[in-house]
Amino acid sequence: MKKLRFDKEKDGFYGTYWSCKDGSDCGMIAVLGDDPEDHMARAAVKWLHTLGLNVMTMSPEKKASGYHNYPLEYVEKAIQWLKSHHNRKIGILGASTTGTMALTAASFFPDITLTIAMTPSDFV
């Protein structure tokens, strides 16, 4: 899988972009796992690629084991990057704590047109 890494200091967020080999104009932000390249993130990328989506996996830090400090500005910067690289439709995917984050980000950023929140908390 072709990937492009992003650094918090240089790019404004920590993540990895995985382009769909068949080409696509739709991107999904996946906020899963402890690192944008861990096992859970890679599994999500493989699944989302079968659906024809480019994928931006993200985490707050490298090998972050907690999501108590995950600025929504990181998602905003990822959206800007995705749009500037020909992703006309953008979705977000999260599970558990990051499911809550996906819901929150989708409520703030109208460019997110699809939200998948698996087992989010019952409050936002």
Side-chain angles (χ1 to χ4, degrees):
M1 287 184 269
K2 184 179 174 185
K3 60 185 173 184
L4 180 62
R5 292 182 177 100
F6 295 86
D7 180 73
K8 193 170 69 170
E9 287 74 29
K10 184 180 75 148
D11 304 301
F13 65 96
Y14 183 67
T16 305
Y17 180 70
W18 313 77
S19 61
C20 186
K21 70 177 180 172
D22 297 328
S24 179
D25 64 350
C26 299
M28 178 70 77
I29 298 170
V31 285
L32 297 166
D34 298 334
D35 188 85
E37 296 183 32
D38 70 4
H39 180 73
M40 189 181 316
R42 286 177 179 271
V45 169
K46 286 180 183 178
W47 171 61
L48 293 166
H49 276 178
T50 66
L51 301 174
L53 300 171
N54 297 311
V55 184
M56 176 72 77
T57 54
M58 297 178 65
S59 69
E61 299 282 342
K62 186 176 178 114
K63 300 289 183 195
S65 58
Y67 293 94
H68 57 278
N69 188 19
Y70 202 144
L72 288 177
E73 290 83 3
Y74 291 5
V75 175
E76 183 176 33
K77 290 195 181 297
I79 291 168
Q80 291 168 355
W81 189 90
L82 287 167
K83 286 179 68 177
S84 71
H85 288 82
H86 312 293
N87 289 277
R88 66 178 180 84
K89 290 190 175 186
I90 298 171
I92 191 165
L93 163 71
S96 191
T97 303
T98 58
T100 304
M101 186 192 159
L103 290 172
T104 305
S107 73
F108 274 87
F109 306 117
D111 288 319
I112 295 174
T113 57
L114 171 68
T115 307
I116 301 173
M118 297 174 283
T119 63
S121 60
D122 60 355
F123 65 91
V124 175

